[in-house]
Amino acid sequence: MNRLRQPLLSPRSVAIIGQSNDAAKTAGRPLHYLRQAGYAGRIYPVNARRETVLGERAWRSLADLPERPDHAYIVTPTEGAVDAVEACGRAGVPVATILANGFSEAGDEGAGRVARLQEVCAESGIRLVGPSSLGVVNLREKVLLTANAAFAEADLPLGRMFAASHSGSLIGALVSRGKARGIGFAGLVSVGNEVDLSLGEICAATLDDPDIDGYVLFLETMRKADHLRAFAMAAAARGKPVVAYKLGRSSEARELAVSHTGALAGEDDVAAAFLRDCGIARVDTFDGLIESLPLVARVPVGSARAAVGVVTTTGGGATMVIDRLASSGIRVEQPSDATLKALADAGIVVAPARLVDLTTAGTRYDVMKPTLDILLAAPEFDLVLAVVGSSARFHPELAVQPIIDSAGAGKPLAAFLVPEAPEGLRRLSDAGVPSFRTPEACADAIIAALRRHPPKPVVARVAPTEGGCLVDELAAATLLDRLGIARVPAVAMDADATRAPTLPFAYPVAVKVLSADIAHKTDVGGVVLGVKDEVGLLDAVAAIRRNIAARQPDARVDRVLVQPMIAGHEVLVGYRVDPDVGPLVMVAAGGIFTEFYRDRSLRLAPVDLAEAHEMIAEVRMLDALAGRRGQEGGDIAALAQAIVALSRLAITGDPVVLEAEINPLIVTASGALAVDALVKLA
Amino acid sequence: MNRLRQPLLSPRSVAIIGQSNDAAKTAGRPLHYLRQAGYAGRIYPVNARRETVLGERAWRSLADLPERPDHAYIVTPTEGAVDAVEACGRAGVPVATILANGFSEAGDEGAGRVARLQEVCAESGIRLVGPSSLGVVNLREKVLLTANAAFAEADLPLGRMFAASHSGSLIGALVSRGKARGIGFAGLVSVGNEVDLSLGEICAATLDDPDIDGYVLFLETMRKADHLRAFAMAAAARGKPVVAYKLGRSSEARELAVSHTGALAGEDDVAAAFLRDCGIARVDTFDGLIESLPLVARVPVGSARAAVGVVTTTGGGATMVIDRLASSGIRVEQPSDATLKALADAGIVVAPARLVDLTTAGTRYDVMKPTLDILLAAPEFDLVLAVVGSSARFHPELAVQPIIDSAGAGKPLAAFLVPEAPEGLRRLSDAGVPSFRTPEACADAIIAALRRHPPKPVVARVAPTEGGCLVDELAAATLLDRLGIARVPAVAMDADATRAPTLPFAYPVAVKVLSADIAHKTDVGGVVLGVKDEVGLLDAVAAIRRNIAARQPDARVDRVLVQPMIAGHEVLVGYRVDPDVGPLVMVAAGGIFTEFYRDRSLRLAPVDLAEAHEMIAEVRMLDALAGRRGQEGGDIAALAQAIVALSRLAITGDPVVLEAEINPLIVTASGALAVDALVKLA
């Protein structure tokens, strides 16, 4: 990746193709910003119609340059951009970044342009950033190869975070907001449409940079998710944390992603499961994206059950954060008796509560410092949050400085300052202390840091395929048998039989149509439950035939399946190959619960038993498996085994299953039995 | 209320009882801040042990002062504070504010002090702010009667909002954060424990102040909710909007409210229903509390179905807001064809999408201004949001100024600036344009403004009572009959009968124990469903007697109720008198749905039919009443009538019902029938 990194982010020479003579225009900015920042490399403005631009010599074409530039930023309009890429390819330019839009998001015409770009890449070996890229920035080497207006300022702080964004405008927001917070970046890239280089590849190219400690990502789609996953795994291996903000919780935002980036965006909980299994911490606030990395870096992965201790000089201010943490299921704990005694021994008297409130003890260095040290040493806390009230604004020496002085202890210590206190925040950030401007970003970052999981190794990769074909329920049953998932016994019966078969189980029974033509049997009247005897069985078959003849007349109805009625908890367990993120396994409460409450848990497949148990714990309705108010519980271990077994479709490639849904899996007190399964083969 | 307002907020003279000589100490601040601000009234520092404080003459006691001060700020420790209030009462001081804590939140000892304060109030007529009050601030008249360290700065901007807070620290955060955002306050009060003057009374005292346009409240409890409601109604009558941030979404935060304010806090959705029915807009972010009032003031009440149009120079930045709005059910709409044509006629070409993205058209005044004017004139939009990218930081003239210039049109126009752009935000705020620093606060304010309801008139007030007694199901049935709520027919049967009675309805039937001793019949095996015949009925009665003898042996089981089995949608409709907010009506999906998903809707009772329909729409599970995939719908009108009827318990005072729960109410295709009811009388 270093062969990419150098021309991409440390070019010794750059060409700006289409550089305008008007510094106020978008196409006029790159030269201006590079000069203002003091970029030490050679800059070749290319402008076919002018001798000079912004007072410098302009070159008529790429062919006229005295050397082959390392990196070309193409800021021409759309049509010229494709020609410029071709010229760069011919000239052997290793990397080009394209500003124009009109590609992936622009229908058939755009698709044609994309195809041309991809041809040039294949033929010449050039790598492309964009199109629709506002540029590439390396602040350490003053490579401000960008058209984003926010880079007009000279004194952007240098930091150790690298940012990559699907939105070009957002890289400007990140640097300007970071600057106001005393937080700097090492570099930023607007990745645009990712026609060639993906966000994951660009970040991966920087992984060995010793001046980069971690990554912040602004995501609009999961395009090229495999690259992102490979990057995240490699980052985790180097101990470099990755934080992401992702648009698309709503279908409206996903719809906009198509028009904005040209990529379809999948459902949000799929993206969430993917990010989680990549070991990426997902934040939900924009300030959180800027502020959270120092905390994420300090909290060990896999801390979801960690306990947070909170100390404050303002009860109301601290409770704003606690309220959000607790609502998200984070454990905010009261100090132990031993800790309260240690505080009392140090002369600090606080009421026993889920918050160490120093209001009465006083806002003083000699109160805050020993309190922090005692809490950081207390075994009951895994993370300590200090919330400072009004004193933080003009007297950071009272309660902010002790946070800086205590932060060296092994345990993570974070700070939220309740008043406007930019200087206090800057001091904290300069000292590397995770610190937050709003209660929302503070809670967001703590939740993201504690919820971060270790990345899952890529065990297998079943490629997504279009189409696929349904198999009938007996064939599905055979697949379940091979996976080792127990089934409710079933007897197939001809739909035109005039006598009920002898059943190896007792009545009452369920009768279901057996047809590969029918995906949703209930919708077409293809299921009759609670059939009491042989007469009822023949009646049920007749009713099913009538119903289907009326509602889906083209479906074949040769046979029905007869199964015993089993009482238990109904669970839906599903597997599918997602076009973006690959094989996924899902567990849900099933039926109306999933429909109204979206009560489901997803993971990249395959999963192990521990993950299956986590998934079960995430589905609220499945709390009922523990047994409640006079109702029988369920065999959670058997359910977990079934989830693991189904998820292994991701590594058993024969046959290639695109989709498999067990609905319901009946979880009884002593097992889990598949009642019905729908399977789609590639 | 003007008699209170003058000494409370416009005192001509103040005494500071316990004023310290050390300006760095909390008790040293008020004199310093008043002098620094240039308060024009007379100030009497009272200090029993010193001749001078901070270079000024100190008075030995209240009795030594040459006049009776309008307002005394008592900054002594706890015990001295009670004595000082007594002295103030004797001296005829009209208002005193108490800094010390150690009252409502301090157990029995604190309760004794509260009782003494209340005695003084009753005897002398003095009105108290606090205890635990960081003070009272009137910025226009430079009354900085506060010990909050954030008031140490001299140039706090004056505004037209009045703030009241249960947390004293937060008034400092509000002014300092407001200042950084170019947003000022008229006044702020830290209301403390509300032992005498409540937050509602304090705000109400300022209602006729022509320099106050609206209110922001930071709430930790719903203590004295009736005062808050009366204030909110009066504010609405004067067209002065009220915005509130309320802690307590989590049980952990509600637990902290007890230790912090000495008040029990009820469940959060009860508070939400109360605030809504008071016409108070509730925000969920702290920035939103500071920034939202100008927007709330401009959006007509009752705009929940309003459509939002969004225009932007940055697709990613705008989608951050849209994602949050859409996830909360706010309608973000695409421009109509007519609007797109009007834009095209003005030379502004945008792609038809749920976002008017000007990236291609260009970030220019002559693009943004006509676009805003066209969107504001378009009938399909009720509110327009402009989201400005990087240009907002250094070139507000391009896309921020047009927002200011277009904001005069009748329709609300709001702005979110994506980069750090304090000057742009200040310009917007100075011009009165609703404007936001973060996507989260922007979405929060839009949601709060659109969801604001007109306040409900106080129709009746059934006072909450402790205790109460359950009545048996037949008595409950009589109450339902009086309310006009239809019931499933029921026959009572002696539990020791040896023959089944003749039933006026067909089998199968349900059999339920009839006993006022048993609140949850199912939990003790007191219900048998689906009884098929007379033999089964006698068996069921025997089984119920056995179950109860085993599980609740002290309960009397004289009779059972027999009812027909009715198929339909099960709904829970409840009524209760909440100790904080008074009579409430609830509708929920019932059973496990309420248990796992808290899928319920609450309103202050009584409600009318329109409100009942809104409540039904808020319960996700009740979407099933519309009928889905081969399942029968339900009679929504009959359910709404039942909700209205039950809610009228709030105005029918005979008998006084503390709690009534119909669970389930079975909603069929042609009606709604109560199957079971639990009633608790006062």
Side-chain angles (χ1 to χ4, degrees):
Chain A
M1 273 300 173
N2 260 342
R3 269 185 50 212
L4 173 61
R5 202 203 76 79
Q6 184 270 316
L8 176 66
L9 284 158
S10 302
R12 286 155 302 197
S13 57
V14 298
I16 307 163
I17 302 179
Q19 169 70 44
S20 159
N21 187 46
D22 181 351
K25 285 196 175 156
T26 305
R29 290 172 190 155
L31 176 60
H32 175 60
Y33 295 168
L34 283 164
R35 288 293 180 216
Q36 177 175 279
Y39 169 62
R42 294 172 298 282
I43 308 175
Y44 301 104
V46 177
N47 186 316
R49 287 179 312 242
R50 295 187 58 90
E51 295 290 315
T52 63
V53 287
L54 306 182
E56 296 194 24
R57 170 176 180 183
W59 305 76
R60 201 155 290 272
S61 78
L62 198 64
D64 295 341
L65 305 190
E67 65 174 318
R68 183 212 71 187
D70 278 350
H71 193 145
Y73 192 14
I74 299 166
V75 297
T76 65
T78 306
E79 275 307 328
V82 181
D83 297 340
V85 170
E86 283 173 350
C88 288
R90 278 193 305 271
V93 175
V95 174
T97 296
I98 306 168
L99 172 68
N101 55 21
F103 292 83
S104 307
E105 81 290 3
D108 288 345
E109 205 179 357
R113 293 181 190 127
V114 169
R116 281 179 63 197
L117 292 181
Q118 285 168 335
E119 258 170 57
V120 178
C121 289
E123 285 167 10
S124 67
I126 191 173
R127 304 305 308 264
L128 300 181
V129 179
S132 236
S133 168
L134 274 176
V136 165
V137 173
N138 173 350
L139 283 165
R140 187 172 301 277
E141 299 175 28
K142 306 179 198 310
V143 182
L144 267 73
L145 207 54
T146 174
N148 185 308
F151 290 87
E153 63 197 300
D155 50 348
L156 290 169
L158 181 65
R160 303 181 59 83
M161 305 200 284
F162 187 84
S165 171
H166 282 127
S167 162
S169 179
L170 265 294
I171 65 168
L174 288 170
V175 285
S176 63
R177 287 172 177 255
K179 182 181 176 187
R181 265 293 282 107
I183 293 172
F185 289 84
L188 307 94
V189 175
S190 157
V191 303
N193 286 354
E194 303 171 282
V195 157
D196 176 36
L197 283 170
S198 65
L199 186 144
E201 286 174 298
I202 291 168
C203 290
T206 71
L207 274 167
D208 290 324
D209 186 333
D211 293 321
I212 292 174
D213 284 348
Y215 294 83
V216 302
L217 313 180
F218 186 91
L219 305 177
E220 297 190 42
T221 80
M222 287 285 112
R223 185 166 41 196
K224 302 195 182 179
D226 49 344
H227 293 179
L228 180 56
R229 189 170 180 189
F231 153 66
M233 305 263 313
R238 286 164 178 78
K240 298 191 174 187
V242 185
V243 173
Y245 179 104
K246 185 188 163 292
L247 291 176
R249 291 194 187 272
S250 65
S251 58
E252 288 83 347
R254 293 197 292 276
E255 169 199 303
L256 284 169
V258 180
S259 59
H260 194 233
T261 71
L264 282 167
E267 289 179 283
D268 190 68
D269 59 354
V270 170
F274 174 77
L275 294 173
R276 170 202 162 98
D277 281 345
C278 287
I280 295 174
R282 182 177 182 180
V283 291
D284 193 40
T285 62
F286 191 46
D287 281 342
L289 183 63
I290 296 166
E291 295 181 325
S292 64
L293 205 55
L295 184 66
V296 172
R298 273 166 191 74
V299 173
V301 290
S303 295
R305 293 301 305 152
V308 179
V310 185
V311 53
T312 192
T313 65
T314 159
T319 308
M320 286 197 283
V321 183
I322 292 172
D323 209 2
R324 286 183 179 265
L325 293 177
S327 298
S328 295
I330 301 295
R331 286 173 52 212
V332 180
E333 296 294 343
Q334 176 167 328
S336 69
D337 290 345
T339 302
L340 288 170
K341 183 173 181 303
L343 288 168
D345 289 349
I348 299 155
V349 179
V350 298
R354 207 183 286 271
L355 172 60
V356 177
D357 191 336
L358 300 177
T359 308
T360 305
T363 302
R364 299 200 313 268
Y365 187 96
D366 61 3
V367 170
M368 185 57 117
K369 180 72 168 64
T371 303
L372 285 170
D373 292 338
I374 289 166
L375 295 182
L376 286 165
E380 67 268 29
F381 298 126
D382 302 295
L383 184 158
V384 174
L385 169 66
V387 178
V388 183
S390 296
S391 69
R393 182 158 171 80
F394 297 117
H395 297 287
E397 71 280 6
L398 296 178
V400 174
Q401 189 60 42
I403 300 171
I404 294 168
D405 296 345
S406 290
K411 238 172 253 176
L413 172 60
F416 162 50
L417 307 188
V418 183
E420 184 79 16
E423 185 48 35
L425 287 171
R426 182 180 309 270
R427 279 201 206 185
L428 289 162
S429 287
D430 285 351
V433 180
S435 49
F436 302 95
R437 206 197 69 87
T438 69
E440 294 82 22
C442 180
D444 185 26
I446 291 174
I447 295 164
L450 295 183
R451 294 248 170 97
R452 187 162 67 116
H453 272 249
K456 282 176 69 157
V458 180
V459 172
R461 176 75 191 178
V462 178
T465 318
E466 295 293 311
C469 65
L470 286 177
V471 302
D472 81 11
E473 196 165 345
L474 282 185
T478 307
L479 181 69
L480 295 184
D481 290 345
R482 279 177 51 189
L483 292 170
I485 297 171
R487 292 186 293 116
V488 172
V491 169
M493 170 182 165
D494 281 346
D496 52 6
T498 53
R499 296 191 52 163
T502 307
L503 299 175
F505 41 77
Y507 288 88
V509 298
V511 186
K512 309 187 295 191
V513 64
L514 181 58
S515 168
D517 298 340
I518 299 171
H520 295 287
K521 291 185 277 287
T522 311
D523 291 3
V524 292
V527 178
V528 179
L529 301 177
V531 173
K532 297 203 187 73
D533 50 29
E534 298 196 348
V535 175
L537 176 51
L538 293 175
D539 288 350
V541 175
I544 286 171
R545 294 181 68 172
R546 274 197 312 277
N547 289 342
I548 292 172
R551 301 190 200 169
Q552 191 175 338
D554 57 332
R556 277 174 311 158
V557 184
D558 299 334
R559 296 191 297 173
V560 298
L561 265 192
V562 185
Q563 295 177 317
M565 296 288 293
I566 306 250
H569 299 268
E570 298 198 1
V571 179
L572 185 161
V573 182
Y575 167 89
R576 70 181 167 91
V577 182
D578 183 88
D580 288 328
V581 307
L584 280 174
V585 63
M586 171 176 85
V587 57
I592 47 178
F593 301 102
T594 303
E595 182 175 348
F596 288 111
Y597 303 108
R598 210 172 176 76
D599 191 8
R600 66 184 201 178
S601 173
L602 290 159
R603 290 287 188 286
L604 298 186
V607 294
D608 61 22
L609 270 176
E611 289 174 288
H613 279 284
E614 281 175 11
M615 294 177 75
I616 295 167
E618 284 173 14
V619 180
R620 283 168 294 169
M621 191 66 203
L622 296 184
D623 289 357
L625 292 174
R628 301 160 305 128
R629 296 214 328 211
Q631 288 183 28
E632 197 166 36
D635 185 340
I636 294 173
L639 171 58
Q641 276 156 9
I643 295 166
V644 169
L646 192 69
S647 80
R648 293 180 62 80
L649 285 173
I651 44 177
T652 60
D654 178 30
V656 174
V657 175
L658 290 186
E659 204 174 326
E661 184 177 285
I662 305 173
N663 186 16
L665 181 81
I666 301 279
V667 182
T668 67
S670 60
L673 296 169
V675 172
D676 209 338
L678 184 142
V679 172
K680 190 190 275 184
L681 298 182
Chain B
M1 274 299 173
N2 260 340
R3 270 185 51 215
L4 173 60
R5 202 203 75 80
Q6 183 270 316
L8 176 67
L9 284 158
S10 302
R12 286 156 302 200
S13 57
V14 298
I16 305 162
I17 302 178
Q19 169 69 42
S20 159
N21 186 46
D22 181 351
K25 284 194 174 159
T26 304
R29 291 173 189 155
L31 176 58
H32 175 60
Y33 295 167
L34 284 164
R35 288 293 181 217
Q36 176 176 279
Y39 169 61
R42 295 171 297 282
I43 308 175
Y44 300 106
V46 177
N47 185 317
R49 287 179 311 242
R50 296 186 57 90
E51 294 291 316
T52 64
V53 286
L54 306 183
E56 296 194 27
R57 172 176 179 183
W59 304 78
R60 199 155 292 274
S61 80
L62 198 65
D64 295 340
L65 305 191
E67 66 174 318
R68 185 212 71 189
D70 278 350
H71 192 144
Y73 191 15
I74 298 166
V75 297
T76 65
T78 307
E79 274 307 329
V82 182
D83 297 341
V85 170
E86 282 173 349
C88 288
R90 279 193 304 273
V93 174
V95 173
T97 296
I98 305 167
L99 172 68
N101 56 21
F103 291 83
S104 308
E105 81 290 0
D108 287 347
E109 204 179 355
R113 293 181 191 128
V114 169
R116 281 178 64 197
L117 292 182
Q118 285 168 334
E119 258 171 55
V120 178
C121 289
E123 285 167 10
S124 66
I126 191 172
R127 302 306 308 265
L128 300 180
V129 179
S132 236
S133 168
L134 275 176
V136 165
V137 172
N138 173 349
L139 283 165
R140 186 171 303 276
E141 299 177 28
K142 304 178 198 308
V143 182
L144 268 73
L145 209 55
T146 174
N148 185 309
F151 290 86
E153 62 198 302
D155 49 349
L156 290 169
L158 180 64
R160 302 180 62 81
M161 307 201 280
F162 187 84
S165 172
H166 282 128
S167 162
S169 178
L170 266 293
I171 64 168
L174 288 171
V175 285
S176 64
R177 286 174 177 256
K179 182 180 175 189
R181 265 293 282 108
I183 292 172
F185 289 84
L188 307 94
V189 175
S190 156
V191 304
N193 286 353
E194 303 172 284
V195 156
D196 176 35
L197 283 170
S198 65
L199 184 144
E201 286 174 298
I202 290 168
C203 289
T206 71
L207 274 167
D208 290 325
D209 187 333
D211 294 321
I212 292 173
D213 285 346
Y215 295 83
V216 300
L217 313 180
F218 185 92
L219 305 176
E220 297 190 43
T221 79
M222 288 286 111
R223 185 165 43 196
K224 302 194 181 180
D226 49 343
H227 293 180
L228 181 55
R229 189 171 181 188
F231 152 68
M233 305 265 311
R238 286 165 178 79
K240 298 191 175 187
V242 185
V243 172
Y245 178 106
K246 185 187 164 290
L247 291 176
R249 292 195 187 267
S250 65
S251 57
E252 288 83 346
R254 293 197 292 277
E255 170 200 302
L256 284 169
V258 180
S259 60
H260 194 231
T261 71
L264 282 169
E267 289 177 283
D268 189 69
D269 60 352
V270 170
F274 174 78
L275 293 172
R276 170 202 162 99
D277 281 345
C278 287
I280 294 174
R282 181 178 184 181
V283 291
D284 191 42
T285 62
F286 192 45
D287 281 341
L289 182 63
I290 296 166
E291 296 181 324
S292 65
L293 204 54
L295 184 66
V296 172
R298 274 166 190 74
V299 173
V301 291
S303 296
R305 292 301 304 153
V308 178
V310 185
V311 54
T312 191
T313 65
T314 159
T319 308
M320 287 197 284
V321 183
I322 292 173
D323 210 3
R324 286 182 180 265
L325 294 177
S327 298
S328 294
I330 301 296
R331 285 173 55 211
V332 179
E333 296 294 343
Q334 176 168 329
S336 69
D337 289 345
T339 301
L340 288 170
K341 184 174 179 304
L343 287 168
D345 289 348
I348 298 154
V349 179
V350 298
R354 208 183 284 273
L355 171 60
V356 177
D357 191 336
L358 300 177
T359 307
T360 305
T363 302
R364 301 202 309 271
Y365 187 96
D366 61 4
V367 170
M368 184 59 118
K369 180 73 168 61
T371 302
L372 286 170
D373 292 339
I374 290 166
L375 295 181
L376 286 164
E380 67 267 29
F381 299 125
D382 302 296
L383 185 156
V384 174
L385 169 66
V387 178
V388 183
S390 296
S391 70
R393 182 156 171 81
F394 297 117
H395 296 287
E397 72 281 5
L398 297 179
V400 174
Q401 190 60 41
I403 301 171
I404 294 168
D405 295 345
S406 289
K411 235 171 254 177
L413 172 61
F416 161 50
L417 307 188
V418 183
E420 184 78 16
E423 185 49 35
L425 287 171
R426 182 180 309 270
R427 279 201 204 183
L428 289 161
S429 286
D430 285 352
V433 180
S435 48
F436 302 95
R437 205 196 71 85
T438 68
E440 294 80 25
C442 180
D444 185 27
I446 292 174
I447 295 164
L450 294 183
R451 294 247 169 98
R452 188 161 68 117
H453 271 248
K456 284 176 69 156
V458 180
V459 173
R461 176 77 194 177
V462 178
T465 320
E466 294 293 310
C469 66
L470 285 177
V471 302
D472 80 13
E473 195 164 345
L474 281 184
T478 308
L479 181 70
L480 294 185
D481 291 344
R482 282 177 49 190
L483 292 170
I485 296 172
R487 291 186 294 113
V488 171
V491 170
M493 170 182 165
D494 281 345
D496 53 5
T498 53
R499 295 192 51 164
T502 306
L503 299 176
F505 41 78
Y507 286 88
V509 297
V511 187
K512 309 187 296 189
V513 65
L514 181 58
S515 169
D517 298 339
I518 298 171
H520 297 286
K521 291 186 277 287
T522 311
D523 291 1
V524 293
V527 178
V528 178
L529 301 177
V531 173
K532 299 202 187 73
D533 51 30
E534 299 197 345
V535 174
L537 176 52
L538 293 175
D539 287 350
V541 175
I544 288 171
R545 294 181 65 174
R546 276 196 311 276
N547 290 341
I548 293 174
R551 303 191 199 170
Q552 192 176 340
D554 57 332
R556 276 174 314 157
V557 185
D558 298 335
R559 295 191 297 175
V560 299
L561 266 192
V562 184
Q563 294 177 316
M565 295 290 291
I566 306 248
H569 299 268
E570 298 200 2
V571 180
L572 186 161
V573 183
Y575 167 89
R576 70 182 168 89
V577 182
D578 182 88
D580 289 327
V581 307
L584 280 175
V585 65
M586 171 176 85
V587 58
I592 46 179
F593 300 101
T594 303
E595 182 177 349
F596 287 111
Y597 303 107
R598 208 170 179 77
D599 191 9
R600 65 185 203 180
S601 172
L602 291 157
R603 290 288 188 285
L604 298 185
V607 294
D608 61 21
L609 270 177
E611 288 173 287
H613 278 283
E614 281 176 10
M615 294 176 74
I616 295 166
E618 284 174 12
V619 180
R620 283 170 292 169
M621 192 65 205
L622 297 183
D623 288 358
L625 292 174
R628 300 161 306 129
R629 298 216 325 210
Q631 288 182 29
E632 197 166 38
D635 185 341
I636 294 173
L639 170 58
Q641 276 157 9
I643 296 166
V644 169
L646 192 70
S647 80
R648 294 180 60 80
L649 286 172
I651 45 178
T652 61
D654 178 30
V656 173
V657 174
L658 290 186
E659 202 175 328
E661 182 178 287
I662 304 174
N663 187 16
L665 181 82
I666 301 278
V667 183
T668 68
S670 61
L673 296 169
V675 172
D676 208 337
L678 186 143
V679 172
K680 193 189 272 184
L681 298 180

